[in-house]
Amino acid sequence: MTELHDDRRAATKEERTPIRNVRHAHGHTERPQGTVSACEDFRLGGDTGQILFTGNGTSYHSALVGSQPADDMRVRCVQAFELERFMRPSGTIIGISHTGKTKSTVDALRKHRGKCRTVGISHYRDSPIIRESDTGLVIGNSPDISLCNTKAFFDNAIASYILTGNALGAWDDWETVSSIISRNIPYLDRLGREMAQGIRVPKRMFVLGGAGPNQVSARECAQKLKEATHLHAEGIELEEFNHGCTSVIDQETLVIIFSTPTVEDRVSDIVRACRETDTETLVVNGDGDHSMDVPYIDEMRSPFTYILSVYFFAYHLALRMGINPDYLRFEDERYLRYDSIVFPPGAH
């Protein structure tokens, strides 16, 4: 089989528990190169102008999770390819890439450097994103051994959260958020395992993020469900689900819904409606055919724990199906060849 190039190497069966390393992803005192210790004293300084976070996939989603609690128009998130090809930004661009090599993220920073102040965030000190930025910020205790980048997601989200709070003077409660994530890992691991073992394995999944802050939860969790289980999963806003998606749900579909106080009435409507098509529902912090009770911070910060709960569900469902959840299907050489075309060596 074609050898994986760069960092696209899967963990062995014995090592494939990277999500449990999330508890070490926030840089507690014993690891000074961790995320919190790297970010807590980092200041952008001067007049930042508008702050644009950018990245691809999980990095992009993590920036949304970390910055959106500010609910401030001075902070935006833009997908890196869109930023590179279609936008003329000003202010400060903060690019995030776990490996520091993601091509469109690096290209976006390179293109707009000089017109904007640029900051590159990576787990690797000697990486293109660090070299191509005005300022580099290395986070995390170690590289992510999962190709799904579950650990890196929380590193990146916490980094985005701290940098946004520091820049706007909006909050300094990152220790509380980090602690809630870390101390609930054993509980959410057990909850995800029990749910994965007790549920009927679906052929397709819809992940409904509710409205507001959990739209990104839907997208990120759908991505992880696809990567880990190789099942089709689509992440979509709660109300948008009712406009077309219902034509393809049936008894072989699982609908995962994130409920919060703002949308719980609409969640209840959808759960009742799904029973008319024999479609099972799994509701996080609400009543469905299956339910997961997850620690709740507040609505704007709920994605931190909601996403983690579905990460564990995806992980254990993959194991139940006999799939290596960290491999992104690269054991099949066709998928490795696809990846090598769209991401040549050194580009991801």
Side-chain angles (χ1 to χ4, degrees):
M1 184 173 71
T2 304
E3 183 179 357
L4 295 177
H5 57 71
D6 299 319
D7 299 297
R8 297 196 280 274
R9 299 181 180 278
T12 66
K13 183 177 181 180
E14 292 73 21
E15 293 173 326
R16 60 184 185 188
T17 56
I19 198 168
R20 291 181 177 79
N21 291 336
V22 169
R23 70 170 69 249
H24 302 300
H26 313 308
H28 300 297
T29 55
E30 73 273 18
R31 297 303 297 270
Q33 289 302 311
T35 299
V36 166
S37 57
C39 295
E40 60 183 341
D41 295 322
F42 182 85
R43 297 292 187 275
L44 293 173
D47 182 11
T48 60
Q50 185 178 58
I51 298 173
L52 281 176
F53 283 94
T54 194
N56 287 270
T58 290
S59 292
Y60 173 52
H61 297 158
S62 67
L64 278 164
V65 168
S67 65
Q68 67 184 2
D71 193 22
D72 192 310
M73 292 300 293
R74 291 174 293 173
V75 181
R76 292 180 59 196
C77 291
V78 180
Q79 200 276 342
F81 188 82
E82 301 296 315
L83 177 61
E84 178 208 351
R85 300 295 178 100
F86 297 104
M87 296 186 65
R88 297 177 180 176
S90 61
T92 301
I93 301 175
I94 303 176
I96 302 175
S97 169
H98 166 59
T99 64
K101 296 184 291 188
T102 308
K103 186 177 187 303
S104 61
T105 307
V106 175
D107 287 348
L109 291 174
R110 182 185 295 119
K111 178 178 180 179
H112 298 301
R113 187 178 183 181
K115 300 182 289 291
C116 301
R117 180 180 178 186
T118 56
V119 179
I121 298 177
S122 175
H123 284 67
Y124 294 84
R125 185 171 303 279
D126 185 24
S127 61
I129 199 170
I130 300 296
R131 295 193 299 268
E132 294 288 345
S133 301
D134 296 318
T135 305
L137 182 60
V138 179
I139 64 172
N141 299 328
S142 61
D144 196 332
I145 62 174
S146 171
L147 296 180
C148 291
N149 288 341
T150 48
K151 174 179 176 291
F153 172 86
F154 285 96
D155 275 331
N156 296 336
I158 288 292
S160 303
Y161 186 72
I162 296 173
L163 294 187
T164 301
N166 286 347
L168 302 182
W171 55 70
D172 59 3
D173 64 344
W174 46 263
E175 286 184 328
T176 300
V177 174
S178 178
S179 175
I180 289 171
I181 296 169
S182 296
R183 71 171 180 258
N184 281 289
I185 285 175
Y187 165 69
L188 294 176
D189 183 11
R190 183 174 68 255
L191 185 66
R193 181 175 64 252
E194 292 171 354
M195 188 60 61
Q197 291 173 347
I199 208 165
R200 174 181 50 79
V201 177
K203 287 190 175 181
R204 67 189 70 86
M205 290 176 274
F206 282 93
V207 187
L208 314 185
N214 279 299
Q215 291 186 54
V216 65
S217 304
R219 292 175 60 176
E220 173 60 18
C221 289
Q223 180 175 328
K224 287 298 169 284
L225 284 161
K226 285 181 282 195
E227 290 174 341
T229 69
H230 307 167
L231 293 172
H232 175 77
E234 181 177 347
I236 193 167
E237 194 268 347
L238 184 71
E239 190 61 29
E240 287 298 307
F241 174 73
N242 297 316
H243 297 267
C245 296
T246 53
S247 63
V248 295
I249 62 172
D250 54 27
Q251 68 276 10
E252 295 183 321
T253 307
L254 175 66
V255 175
I256 302 174
I257 311 174
F258 298 114
S259 184
T260 63
T262 303
V263 299
E264 60 187 0
D265 58 334
R266 200 55 170 154
V267 170
S268 178
D269 292 341
I270 292 173
V271 168
R272 288 189 294 110
C274 282
R275 289 174 180 152
E276 298 299 322
T277 59
D278 298 319
T279 301
E280 288 191 340
T281 56
L282 191 170
V283 181
V284 176
N285 284 358
D287 296 324
D289 299 314
H290 309 275
S291 300
M292 293 199 297
D293 293 324
V294 172
Y296 183 78
I297 305 173
D298 58 38
E299 188 146 29
M300 293 304 290
R301 294 163 181 79
S302 60
F304 283 105
T305 51
Y306 282 22
I307 289 172
L308 183 56
S309 68
V310 178
Y311 271 13
F312 277 119
F313 171 69
Y315 171 81
H316 288 292
L317 185 60
L319 295 186
R320 178 185 170 190
M321 296 169 65
I323 295 171
N324 185 328
D326 298 324
Y327 210 23
L328 297 186
R329 215 166 180 174
F330 284 171
E331 70 275 21
D332 184 329
E333 193 168 342
R334 296 173 301 166
Y335 294 90
L336 182 57
R337 290 198 301 267
Y338 178 99
D339 191 79
S340 297
I341 291 171
V342 296
F343 298 122
H348 191 47

